[in-house]
Amino acid sequence: MADRPAQLIACHECDLLQRDIPLNPGCTASCRRCGAVLYRNATDSINRTLAYTLAAGILFVVANSFPIFSIEVSGDRSAITLFGAVRALWEQGVRTISVMVFITAILVPCLELFSLTALLLPLKLGLVPPKYTLFMRTLQFIEPWGMVEVFMLGVLVSLVKLTNNFRVIPGFALYSFGLLTLLIAAAAASFSARDIWNRLDEMMRQEGA
Amino acid sequence: MTQVNSGIPSAASNGLCSCHVCRLVSRRSRFSRREHCPRCGATLHFRKPRSIERCWALVIASYILYIPANLLVMMETGSLINYRKDTIVSGVVHLWKTGSWMIAVIVFIASVAIPVLKLFSLTFLLISVQRRSTWRPRQRTRLFRLLEAVGRWSMLDIYVVTLLAALVQLGSLAVVKAGPAAVAFGAVVILTMFATMQFDPRLIWDPLQKEEIHD
């Protein structure tokens, strides 16, 4: 194992070595050479992220259980849920696309919310989260692949395209997805991996002493 | 922020390595094979391994797939009144002509502008890094940051095709089908996202301090 000089931070975009200094609440430290964001002092990061995550978890279930919208043509009505769309595409033989949509719009957001809860809930209760490195790595690995907000825009574009030819009836899940998008963005904005690692370091030190 | 050593400012040139998972800076020998982060156990690398080679491979694959993605049919729409086969570009044109110009602009940006700019920008970054260019590193880093941020939005058309194809299955009245271009285009989006993830922006800054750092 490598040894560990304290209070140093390396910019992840240009590798400039800098000192890690405490920030005022709400402030951001950026790299003096390339301008990348090094870390933020997000106010009350753990509590807020946990609150947003739990709310988003509930909405995620709601958004996936109800139809997003339905169309009506001469008495025939056709409604759609997100998972229903994934399954329909699979059955039509367009499996690659079906899998892509499943991963980016269902699986990754689900994993993201689950990992956040598994980390933050024990921390909130003053416990060391089991398998925390696994969850931290999962979060980092899946981060670029969660696309709920892109999906939301896709829903809106589809709505406009359909209104030319059909009568479109918005469903309950449409509003849930809109709100879910906002909550996931709020959770991402208040999340601070640095705060979690600092809290974990502190807990380990107390356990060691 | 205080800079630690203005002479040799990068972590790697001081023998320090920043963990890609938890960002902890730890000392690491430049010759030892594999070392792990003392805090989270992730394998330490000074730079992303084989960054340039992997990124090139993914970029070239994306260029090749970009051709069928644009030439083949993205979406087939059939109803009693009309039957259309749309490529990405003809879909945008159709949206524009039918008066949904806002949506046409959004789809154009997500499905045409972003993938093209992403491929060209990655090519430019790769060439400049390979030539060890010292030209405008700050702007090139900013370009990379932009690529990371906008890449996902290209999935837009894939979602639209999915929703329409699944929803509009009303027997003889109307039908929407995903065309073969959807698969090629989806692959381009995913490959370019992987390419962006493989690119290491720290390579932009190494030539400035006359350093060549691997792994």
Side-chain angles (χ1 to χ4, degrees):
Chain A
M1 288 266 177
D3 58 294
R4 169 179 166 179
Q7 302 296 306
L8 284 179
I9 188 164
C11 173
H12 56 284
E13 284 183 17
C14 77
D15 212 27
L16 183 72
L17 207 51
Q18 288 154 101
R19 277 202 185 87
D20 186 331
I21 51 166
L23 294 178
N24 290 327
C27 289
T28 304
S30 27
C31 173
R32 56 182 282 160
R33 183 163 72 170
C34 77
V37 173
L38 296 174
Y39 57 90
R40 284 171 302 176
N41 185 352
T43 328
D44 204 11
S45 154
I46 291 176
N47 285 332
R48 282 194 192 188
T49 314
L50 181 63
Y52 290 133
T53 304
L54 292 177
I58 296 166
L59 266 175
F60 185 77
V61 175
V62 176
N64 278 287
S65 322
F66 292 93
I68 305 169
F69 51 75
S70 42
I71 54 170
E72 214 174 66
V73 194
S74 51
D76 268 341
R77 197 163 182 177
S78 168
I80 196 172
T81 61
L82 175 50
F83 189 72
V86 169
R87 206 176 51 192
L89 232 63
W90 179 270
E91 278 160 8
Q92 285 170 33
V94 204
R95 302 208 166 152
T96 331
I97 302 292
S98 161
V99 169
M100 256 165 31
V101 175
F102 176 74
I103 291 177
T104 55
I106 302 179
L107 186 67
V108 169
C110 189
L111 270 176
E112 203 169 348
L113 295 173
F114 179 76
S115 307
L116 280 172
T117 314
L119 282 167
L120 296 170
L121 200 60
L123 280 179
K124 167 83 186 152
L125 299 172
L127 305 165
V128 177
K131 299 214 187 293
Y132 60 86
T133 39
L134 174 74
F135 290 121
M136 290 302 275
R137 288 169 95 153
T138 308
L139 277 177
Q140 201 215 8
F141 178 71
I142 63 178
E143 195 227 42
W145 302 102
M147 303 189 189
V148 174
E149 70 273 40
V150 183
F151 175 73
M152 191 61 213
L153 188 64
V155 168
L156 297 179
V157 171
S158 313
L159 280 176
V160 174
K161 280 197 168 189
L162 287 167
T163 45
N164 288 334
N165 298 309
F166 303 97
R167 202 167 87 79
V168 185
I169 305 129
F172 191 51
L174 182 66
Y175 308 108
S176 314
F177 264 113
L179 212 54
L180 179 66
T181 311
L182 295 179
L183 279 171
I184 287 186
S190 57
F191 176 75
S192 157
R194 196 177 109 99
D195 280 5
I196 293 184
W197 285 115
N198 284 347
R199 178 73 71 88
L200 285 167
D201 277 349
E202 212 174 280
M203 291 167 106
M204 298 301 170
R205 226 176 294 129
Q206 277 168 0
E207 261 178 30
Chain B
M1 295 272 87
T2 18
Q3 206 166 300
V4 176
N5 182 339
S6 53
I8 328 165
S10 88
S13 51
N14 284 299
L16 296 171
C17 189
S18 166
C19 170
H20 70 280
V21 175
C22 73
R23 301 269 175 90
L24 181 75
V25 173
S26 52
R27 189 163 296 285
R28 192 198 149 191
S29 151
R30 283 181 72 165
F31 307 102
S32 71
R33 291 241 108 199
R34 253 174 174 247
E35 280 194 76
H36 297 274
C37 172
R39 179 158 73 178
C40 73
T43 312
L44 293 174
H45 297 289
F46 284 115
R47 297 289 178 266
K48 291 180 187 167
R50 301 191 148 270
S51 163
I52 295 176
E53 291 93 323
R54 288 181 185 175
C55 192
W56 264 125
L58 292 160
V59 167
I60 291 166
S62 309
Y63 272 120
I64 295 168
L65 278 164
Y66 191 70
I67 300 164
N70 276 281
L71 294 181
L72 298 178
V73 174
M74 185 80 174
M75 188 157 70
E76 277 179 58
T77 336
S79 71
L80 288 175
I81 320 143
N82 61 354
Y83 186 83
R84 303 181 49 86
K85 280 185 171 186
D86 277 313
T87 61
I88 293 173
V89 176
S90 79
V92 174
V93 172
H94 181 67
L95 273 172
W96 183 273
K97 279 187 183 156
T98 49
S100 323
W101 60 270
M102 264 280 277
I103 299 293
V105 169
I106 292 173
V107 176
F108 178 80
I109 291 173
S111 326
V112 182
I114 291 179
V116 171
L117 287 176
K118 229 172 128 175
L119 281 173
F120 286 169
S121 308
L122 276 170
T123 311
F124 162 72
L125 285 176
L126 280 167
I127 292 173
S128 77
V129 162
Q130 234 167 3
R131 297 184 46 145
R132 302 187 58 75
S133 157
T134 51
W135 180 79
R136 300 197 169 194
R138 211 181 151 104
Q139 282 80 352
R140 281 187 288 145
T141 313
R142 207 176 289 158
L143 177 65
F144 172 73
R145 220 173 282 151
L146 186 74
L147 294 184
E148 269 188 322
V150 300
R152 310 157 342 119
W153 290 93
S154 304
M155 279 293 268
L156 181 71
D157 240 22
I158 301 290
Y159 289 133
V160 173
V161 170
T162 304
L163 288 165
L164 296 187
L167 189 64
V168 187
Q169 294 298 330
L170 299 173
S172 55
L173 274 176
V175 77
V176 174
K177 269 190 197 158
V183 179
F185 184 72
V188 171
V189 176
I190 289 181
L191 289 178
T192 50
M193 280 183 68
F194 273 122
T196 315
M197 287 159 89
Q198 285 298 335
F199 185 81
D200 194 333
R202 292 172 292 193
L203 296 174
I204 296 174
W205 295 87
D206 287 342
L208 268 83
Q209 54 214 46
K210 315 262 183 299
E211 281 275 331
E212 190 148 7
I213 296 153
H214 300 286
D215 196 35

